[in-house]
Amino acid sequence: MIEVGLTGCIGSGKSTVACALAERGAVLFDADAIVAELQQPGRPVLEAMAERFGPSILLPDGRLDRAAVAAVVFEDPQELAALNAIVHPAVRAEMAARRRELAGSDAVVVAEIPLLAEAGPERREPLAGVVVVDVDPETAVARLVARRGLVARRGLTAGEARARLARQAARDERLALADFVIDNNGTRRQLSEQVDRCWEWIGSLGDSPTR
């Protein structure tokens, strides 16, 4: 098994890249999707969150009110740290369980981890390499405003998008982690060509020791 990490700032297009790699044969570990699974009603993570932040973070049917959680943690570093202390260990444990299921296989695993740069160097331990999807911050802002406006009743303003970017690792910090960089400032065709090169690079890791 080969496992690489895939990261990028919000609005970078990392999920698009992840899907493209999956189309080429990768097994995708999506950290955000795993979080969503772990936060379903009846799961220990959601119970721990409700105990820590109160019943106001739950909808009437018992599901998580993500907007309510965001309102609590986005402007309070201590509350965000408390949330991360609940969620991150559970996500790591779930990813470890999925790795064990694939151990000894010839699978190529792409772990999409939005906050890889924020997690510290120990988060790289099972990874053979790190792919960073890079984009100019203002391009990311424009994409976020357009995307959120399509899927939400009220989209993000440019100021809100910049504030979310500011809460993530700096661009140079993320690039410092990269073993392979995908520049997503261009066209879809250019992106597809870079994904092809990335897929070839991942395949070349098969003869390299896992980091």
Side-chain angles (χ1 to χ4, degrees):
M1 184 187 78
I2 302 170
E3 181 180 356
V4 299
L6 174 68
T7 193
C9 70
I10 183 173
S12 64
K14 59 186 174 296
S15 293
T16 299
V17 171
C19 290
L21 290 169
E23 290 172 356
R24 288 158 174 80
V27 177
L28 182 60
F29 288 180
D30 182 339
D32 282 347
I34 291 173
V35 169
E37 291 176 19
L38 295 173
Q39 291 175 337
Q40 291 300 307
R43 301 294 295 268
V45 167
L46 184 59
E47 292 174 358
M49 289 175 61
E51 182 177 351
R52 173 63 178 78
F53 300 108
S56 63
I57 68 166
L58 301 177
L59 295 166
D61 62 3
R63 291 182 297 116
L64 181 66
D65 185 341
R66 299 185 186 281
V69 176
V72 172
V73 305
F74 276 167
E75 300 300 332
D76 189 325
Q78 289 186 336
E79 297 285 45
L80 179 59
L83 175 64
N84 289 342
I86 294 170
V87 174
H88 288 181
V91 173
R92 288 195 291 269
E94 178 63 25
M95 283 192 167
R98 297 187 184 193
R99 285 189 195 99
R100 288 193 293 271
E101 292 178 357
L102 295 171
S105 73
D106 60 357
V108 174
V109 174
V110 172
E112 184 184 351
I113 308 172
L115 300 180
L116 181 59
E118 292 84 348
E122 68 279 359
R123 191 64 185 84
R124 284 194 55 141
E125 286 183 6
L127 303 176
V130 173
V131 178
V132 172
V133 183
D134 183 52
V135 70
D136 179 87
E138 285 305 306
T139 299
V141 167
R143 290 174 180 170
L144 285 168
V145 171
R147 185 180 74 193
R148 302 286 177 167
L150 289 173
V151 301
R153 187 174 302 171
R154 185 186 71 82
L156 290 179
T157 66
E160 288 169 338
R162 291 190 185 95
R164 294 200 178 192
L165 282 169
R167 284 191 288 267
Q168 296 188 336
R171 186 182 187 184
D172 58 350
E173 293 176 306
R174 192 176 294 106
L175 287 171
L177 292 176
D179 298 297
F180 192 101
V181 177
I182 293 179
D183 182 342
N184 193 18
N185 288 291
T187 66
R188 287 186 176 273
R189 179 175 179 178
Q190 290 170 328
L191 179 62
S192 180
E193 291 171 350
Q194 291 185 76
V195 171
D196 284 338
R197 291 195 292 273
C198 180
W199 184 242
E200 292 177 3
W201 171 76
I202 293 172
S204 74
L205 298 175
D207 297 326
S208 301
T210 301
R211 298 182 186 184

